[in-house]
Each structure stands twice: as C-alpha cells, then as structure tokens.
C-alpha cells in the first residue's frame, strides 16, 4: 500500500558538527565533539546519527564542520556510510543561524523540506512521524521536544512541610529543545546571514504560529552529550536497552 505522506517527508538533512566541545575535554582535545565515541559502542556520535537518519529515509546529508574539521572529514571519507555525505566548513564564524543557513545552501534539493540535528545528540524516535506532524500543522519549522532528567534527586512534600517521598533524577516538568528539527524549504531564506536564529527566526515564527513542537514519544531514547558524565550515563542506558 502506498504511503500518502511519503512524498512530503525530507530525504536530506544538515548535521551541525562545528562546536568546540570544551565541556567534554579531554575527549575533544584531538577530535570534534561528534567524533567522541560512546563507551561500549565503538562508533562516534555522528556515526549513530547518520545510521538513524538513513533508517528514517534520508539519502543526503550536509555536515557543517568547524573545530578540528579534518579529523571528522577523514573519518567520513573512510567510513562505510549508509547515505551520501558532504562536508562544509565556515571560513569565518557565522553564528548558529548563519552556520545553518550556509550549510542549507549546500543541500541537493533546495525546493524540498529538510531535517537538521545538533551533532551532540544521541536519540532514536520516528522522524517520519515528526515530518507528518510538521506537515499537518503547516509549520515552517518544527522542533523536537524532550523532557530530560534533572541531574539531582528531588523530594515531595505535603502541605505541612513534611517530606513524603524521594525521587531519583526525575524528568523535568518543562519540555526543552531536543536539537532535532524539520524545516520547510522557505526556512533557509528566513535565517540570518550571521547570528543566532533562536533569538531571531524562531521567535518571529512563533508569533506567526508557524513554529511547531513535536514531543518525543515517551520511552524513546534521547540524550545530549555535553559532559564526560553524559558519556558514562549514555553507556549505562544503552547497555540497559541492549543496544
């Protein structure tokens, strides 16, 4: 049976892999953050991302490089990848929005929608469902939303100030930007040449009700890899999931 939504789903993506990764030192002293391996997997973060994108129907990826770009490029050249990948390097700092715009200009299908993901995100959920959500809401941009666990234990109290329970690392009550996106073709034209789109383009679209938020399904795996502790926790979680 033919899937009526297939034609509107992206087959191309941008991976933002240019960050310094200073909080992950010493792992990032000789490699960019997306090239850091999650212990026990034998594969760098970006390898997991590219495999996931391919599973979700993506055929072409543009990787935006920066810090130690040659290390990432060398790995991409030697790896057996499940999709077509090209890299771009900013010749001067453009900011997050400018960098995204520069990378998007190298996508093979400028008239079609595209995914984007931050290079330090390790997740698995249905991008196809997210793309359908984006189309149904006639959005220009859709953000995946996660509820990460806070790094501390929490307590519950009653109305008299008595502690009634302890909760170890509960999920936050707020949804956060999960660093995974679906963009319509016109989005690239709304990005700044330089600067941060999260302070310009996103608020503008939100005021117009053209910015959507897709909650990552409960039980789907998501973690931002920012610190050495995140690496350790990801390894434990993935081992528990049997991955």
């Amino acid at each position: 049976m033919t899937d009526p939504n297939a034609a509107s789903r992206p087959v191309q993506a941008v991976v933002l892999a240019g960050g310094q990764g200073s909080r992950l030192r010493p792992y990032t002293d000789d490699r960019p953050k997306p090239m850091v391996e999650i212990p026990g997997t034998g594969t760098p973060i970006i390898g997991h991302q590219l495999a996931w994108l391919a599973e979700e129907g993506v055929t072409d990826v543009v990787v935006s490089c920066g810090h130690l770009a040659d290390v990432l490029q060398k790995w991409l050249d030697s790896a057996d990848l499940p999709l077509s990948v090209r890299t771009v390097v900013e010749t001067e700092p453009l900011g997050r929005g400018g960098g995204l715009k520069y990378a998007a200009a190298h996508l093979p299908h400028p008239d079609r929608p595209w995914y984007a993901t931050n290079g330090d995100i390790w997740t698995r959920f249905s991008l196809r469902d997210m793309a359908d959500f984006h189309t149904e809401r006639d959005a220009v941009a859709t953000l995946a939303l996660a509820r990460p666990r806070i790094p501390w234990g929490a307590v519950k109290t009653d109305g008299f100030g008595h502690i009634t329970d302890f909760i170890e690392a509960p999920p936050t009550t707020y949804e956060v930007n999960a660093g995974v996106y679906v963009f319509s073709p016109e989005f690239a034209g709304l990005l700044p040449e330089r600067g941060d789109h999260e302070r310009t383009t996103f608020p503008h679209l939100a005021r117009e009700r053209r910015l959507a938020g897709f909650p990552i399904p409960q039980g789907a795996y998501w973690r931002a890899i920012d610190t050495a502790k995140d690496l350790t926790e990801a390894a434990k979680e993935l081992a528990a999931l049997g991955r």
Side-chain angles (χ1 to χ4, degrees):
M1 184 176 176
T2 303
D3 186 342
N5 296 317
S8 64
R9 293 175 187 145
V11 296
Q12 56 187 355
V14 168
V15 175
L16 299 172
Q20 292 281 337
S22 56
R23 289 196 293 165
L24 258 177
R25 286 177 177 159
Y27 297 99
T28 51
D29 285 343
D30 60 356
R31 69 197 65 192
K33 190 195 288 191
M35 280 300 300
V36 173
E37 293 183 8
I38 296 172
T41 69
T43 303
I45 298 168
I46 194 168
H48 294 285
Q49 288 187 326
L50 294 175
W52 174 49
L53 290 169
E55 290 167 6
E56 294 294 325
V58 173
T59 59
D60 294 270
V61 171
V62 175
V63 178
S64 178
C65 305
H67 174 64
L68 297 174
D70 57 322
V71 177
L72 178 51
Q73 290 170 322
K74 184 179 293 185
W75 182 84
L76 290 169
D77 288 341
S78 64
D80 183 16
L81 301 175
L83 33 63
S84 176
V85 178
R86 70 173 297 181
T87 59
V88 296
V89 182
E90 296 175 28
T91 55
E92 57 181 312
L94 300 174
R96 290 193 296 177
L100 189 58
K101 187 183 188 78
Y102 179 68
H106 295 81
L107 288 167
H109 309 290
D111 59 338
R112 298 193 62 178
W114 45 293
Y115 298 116
T117 180
N118 295 343
D120 58 358
I121 299 298
W122 175 209
T123 186
R124 281 291 190 280
F125 64 89
S126 174
L127 285 175
R128 292 180 175 91
D129 287 350
M130 184 176 173
D132 294 346
F133 180 97
H134 171 84
T135 300
E136 289 163 3
R137 281 148 187 80
D138 193 28
V140 173
T142 296
L143 287 62
L145 304 177
R147 290 185 184 272
R149 292 187 175 278
I150 64 173
W152 311 283
V155 296
K156 281 187 175 182
T157 59
D158 62 17
F160 297 99
H162 300 118
I163 292 176
T164 60
D165 199 5
F166 292 89
I167 308 169
E168 185 62 32
T172 175
T173 55
Y174 292 98
E175 293 176 310
V176 303
N177 180 350
V180 181
Y181 312 90
V182 182
F183 297 133
S184 294
E186 63 265 38
F187 179 75
L190 302 176
L191 287 165
E193 296 291 337
R194 283 181 173 78
D196 189 348
H197 60 294
E198 295 193 9
R199 297 187 178 185
T200 55
T201 310
F202 280 174
H204 172 75
L205 290 174
R207 287 192 294 270
E208 293 187 344
R209 298 295 188 269
R210 303 295 302 280
L211 184 67
F214 175 79
I216 293 176
Q218 187 173 5
Y221 187 78
W222 179 89
R223 180 176 282 276
I225 309 296
D226 289 322
T227 66
K229 183 177 180 182
D230 290 325
L231 279 176
T232 303
E233 292 298 319
K236 290 179 183 175
E237 290 161 354
L238 294 175
L241 292 169
R243 294 178 182 175

